[in-house]
Amino acid sequence: AQSVAQPEDQVNVAEGNPLTVKCTYSVSGNPYLFWYVQYPNRGLQFLLKYITGDNLVKGSYGFEAEFNKSQTSFHLKKPSALVSDSALYFCAVRALNAGNNRKLIWGLGTSLAVNP
Amino acid sequence: DAMVIQNPRYQVTQFGKPVTLSCSQTLNHNVMYWYQQKSSQAPKLLFHYYDKDFNNEADTPDNFQSRRPNTSFCFLDIRSPGLGDAAMYLCATGTGGISANEQFFGPGTRLTVL
């Protein structure tokens, strides 16, 4: 079965420090992986994706993610956290079943708190 | 700017009173999705349209219906809202097909059921 895991419900980091939000996946075949961010009472905003190519993907707002096939991980990173990065982060993988490739399988989300 | 628009942003209804939520898009995407999201949980897919082809999720209650009169618009109808249907409802669009990639979300409609 295809799945996505975000092992941490919450991550706390001091402003200016590097941050990492973890994501692991389980799919058959090559995964299409995504990160989204959700601010309070807002919709989800696309941050970045991995489809193929370079394992280090750069996205919006200074975020990047590293695809690691051997560890089946796609961790979200940022070199220097801002208080405004405090939000809910979701990792997702595209379902690869025939007829289901329009759907995303979502992680449970990680709440990031950046402290001043 | 191309975008996904949801109206209203906040909707209050009474227990059992039908309600319709609206979504429109200027992206000209083939696929439109409706998600339900409760209190910081992962979004739960209710159904989606691929062009005019309706795809319901197996666990979506019959109380939830959808209409897509044209490419740009999609509606979510809740026939008899219960207290448990209070949630954020998110509309999203995507390109579908072999190159199906990211989904683009609207700002959401927060539904309160009294």
Side-chain angles (χ1 to χ4, degrees):
Chain A
Q2 299 172 76
S3 64
V4 174
Q6 293 182 240
E8 300 157 317
D9 291 337
Q10 181 152 350
V11 170
N12 294 292
V13 64
E15 187 174 31
N17 283 1
L19 70 86
T20 298
V21 183
K22 296 180 180 177
C23 173
T24 58
Y25 65 90
S26 175
V27 297
S28 55
N30 296 319
Y32 286 23
L33 294 156
F34 305 86
W35 274 103
Y36 285 82
V37 61
Q38 187 176 30
Y39 299 100
N41 288 312
R42 302 294 298 273
L44 278 72
Q45 296 180 34
F46 169 74
L47 279 178
L48 49 79
K49 65 182 178 184
Y50 173 82
I51 304 298
T52 186
D54 193 349
N55 289 344
L56 185 63
V57 179
K58 294 189 182 296
S60 306
Y61 312 123
F63 283 93
E64 57 189 28
E66 185 168 12
F67 172 65
N68 187 318
K69 188 173 184 177
S70 63
Q71 297 185 4
T72 62
S73 67
F74 189 55
H75 300 333
L76 181 70
K77 300 181 179 183
K78 188 173 182 180
S80 178
L82 300 172
V83 172
S84 57
D85 292 329
S86 299
L88 190 57
Y89 291 80
F90 289 100
C91 181
V93 64
R94 197 186 82 179
L96 293 175
N97 310 88
N100 279 329
N101 64 351
R102 299 184 290 272
K103 300 181 186 179
L104 293 177
I105 299 168
W106 296 88
L108 295 180
T110 298
S111 179
L112 173 67
V114 181
N115 306 307
Chain B
D1 286 342
M3 56 196 308
V4 181
I5 302 163
Q6 290 189 246
N7 286 306
R9 293 292 313 278
Y10 299 91
Q11 175 73 58
V12 179
T13 190
Q14 292 181 336
F15 183 94
K17 184 174 182 181
V19 66
T20 295
L21 308 183
S22 169
C23 178
S24 63
Q25 55 135 339
T26 60
L27 298 160
N28 203 33
H29 282 165
N30 297 97
V31 191
M32 294 188 77
Y33 306 84
W34 279 106
Y35 288 92
Q36 180 191 66
Q37 187 183 30
K38 295 187 175 181
S39 58
S40 301
Q41 297 177 15
K44 179 182 181 300
L45 183 64
L46 295 173
F47 26 60
H48 75 276
Y49 275 95
Y50 184 27
D51 293 329
K52 294 185 178 181
D53 183 24
F54 178 70
N55 297 268
N56 198 25
E57 293 301 299
D59 58 353
T60 298
D62 292 340
N63 196 28
F64 292 87
Q65 303 285 319
S66 186
R67 297 169 283 134
R68 190 179 186 186
N70 54 52
T71 300
S72 300
F73 284 87
C74 196
F75 300 97
L76 170 63
D77 300 309
I78 308 177
R79 294 194 295 189
S80 181
L83 298 179
D85 296 327
M88 176 75 90
Y89 289 88
L90 299 169
C91 175
T93 71
T95 53
I98 296 174
S99 62
N101 284 323
E102 66 267 31
Q103 296 178 12
F104 299 82
F105 283 81
T109 296
R110 181 164 294 283
L111 177 68
T112 300
V113 182
L114 301 177

